């Protein structure tokens, strides 16, 4: 899961760089409004890429990890309706 999110992040950030560099290296020579529009799109990509890279999928079970505090873990297990394993 982590590798897929990382690849998507790098693809999105690569697209951001291509848009930004392409806008000011090539497109501005032909159309300044299009170059500015490309930069606006490039400006929106990094926050979206960060959200994609940091989102948790339904198969990521990070909330099930024990915290290390036995009383807290027992309390959360009781709230979740799970039986506690004897160690």
């Amino acid at each position: 899961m982590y590798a897929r999110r990382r690849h998507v992040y790098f693809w999105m950030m690569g697209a951001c760089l291509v848009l930004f560099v392409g806008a000011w290296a090539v497109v501005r020579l032909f159309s300044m409004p299009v170059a500015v529009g490309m930069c606006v799109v490039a400006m929106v990509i990094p926050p979206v890429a960060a959200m994609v890279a940091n989102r948790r999928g339904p198969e990521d079970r990070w909330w099930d990890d024990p915290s290390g505090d036995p009383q807290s873990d027992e309390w959360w297990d009781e709230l979740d309706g799970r039986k506690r394993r004897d160690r």
Side-chain angles (χ1 to χ4, degrees):
M1 284 308 300
Y2 176 71
R4 182 174 40 154
R5 287 193 309 250
R6 190 178 64 212
H7 287 130
V8 170
Y9 174 80
F10 284 121
W11 275 105
M12 291 178 79
M13 292 306 289
C16 176
L17 285 173
V18 166
L19 281 171
F20 186 75
V21 171
W24 294 114
V26 178
V27 177
R28 74 171 169 89
L29 301 172
F30 302 105
S31 174
M32 187 60 82
V34 172
V36 170
M38 288 173 67
C39 283
V40 168
V41 171
M43 179 183 69
V44 173
I45 291 175
V48 173
M51 286 185 268
V52 167
N54 290 316
R55 91 175 165 81
R56 300 280 185 181
E59 59 276 352
D60 293 339
R61 303 294 294 195
W62 57 272
W63 59 86
D64 285 345
D65 291 341
S67 67
D69 179 20
Q71 185 177 6
S72 175
D73 292 339
E74 183 178 338
W75 184 73
W76 281 109
D77 287 342
E78 181 181 336
L79 282 177
D80 290 339
R82 288 190 287 172
K83 297 290 183 193
R84 191 83 176 138
R85 288 185 294 179
D86 291 332
R87 296 177 195 182

